[in-house]
Amino acid sequence: YQRRVHGTLSECLFFFASQFPMEIPPDFGYVVLVVGLSWIMNIFLIVQVAQARKKYNVQYPNLYAPAGHKNAAAFDSVQRAHQNTLENFAPLQLLMVLSGLVFPREAAGFGLLWVVGRVAGAINH
């Protein structure tokens, strides 16, 4: 017995997707806005690290200040704030978008809280 699948991959995917109809809620724009703000926040953190590299004279390719560098703690604090953000960035984006399909205002609210917290943390370093 051999089962044969008929149709192209796109036809199979369309059939599968049509079995689970989904609508994007009207308030989903808030989620999109917060996703955009999170990208702007990430750019802000990139600029913070670039400025700290110049200020503390930490050259590439060093991710962190070399051992014994006189400003290691100050630079590493700025760099760590950005690295920690990157470690959480992709999962948070995915979860915010997926939960936003059901609870758009809540997802956007918690996402905005995360963005504001990251900016506040970076400024306080």
Side-chain angles (χ1 to χ4, degrees):
Y1 173 74
Q2 184 180 25
R3 184 175 178 187
R4 298 182 68 193
V5 176
H6 299 284
T8 64
L9 177 61
S10 62
E11 290 171 339
C12 291
L13 290 174
F14 177 77
F15 173 77
F16 180 76
S18 68
Q19 302 305 306
F20 303 99
M22 183 182 342
E23 291 183 24
I24 295 177
D27 291 338
F28 192 75
Y30 294 122
V31 175
V32 174
L33 175 65
V34 174
V35 167
L37 290 174
S38 71
W39 282 83
I40 293 169
M41 175 267 307
N42 188 39
I43 292 168
F44 169 74
L45 294 178
I46 291 169
V47 170
Q48 294 286 101
V49 172
Q51 289 174 341
R53 277 192 182 282
K54 192 173 193 176
K55 179 179 179 180
Y56 300 121
N57 195 29
V58 176
Q59 303 302 315
Y60 286 109
N62 296 319
L63 186 58
Y64 293 98
H69 192 282
K70 66 179 181 176
N71 295 312
F75 175 78
D76 289 354
S77 179
V78 175
Q79 175 66 7
R80 190 66 207 133
H82 184 234
Q83 284 301 119
N84 184 261
T85 299
L86 293 178
E87 292 164 5
N88 297 292
F89 198 70
L92 185 102
Q93 300 288 298
L94 179 64
L95 290 172
M96 187 168 40
V97 168
L98 291 177
S99 62
L101 291 172
V102 180
F103 305 106
R105 288 180 181 236
E106 292 83 353
F110 284 118
L112 183 61
L113 183 65
W114 183 77
V115 169
V116 170
R118 287 286 152 178
V119 170
I123 290 171
N124 290 328
H125 269 131

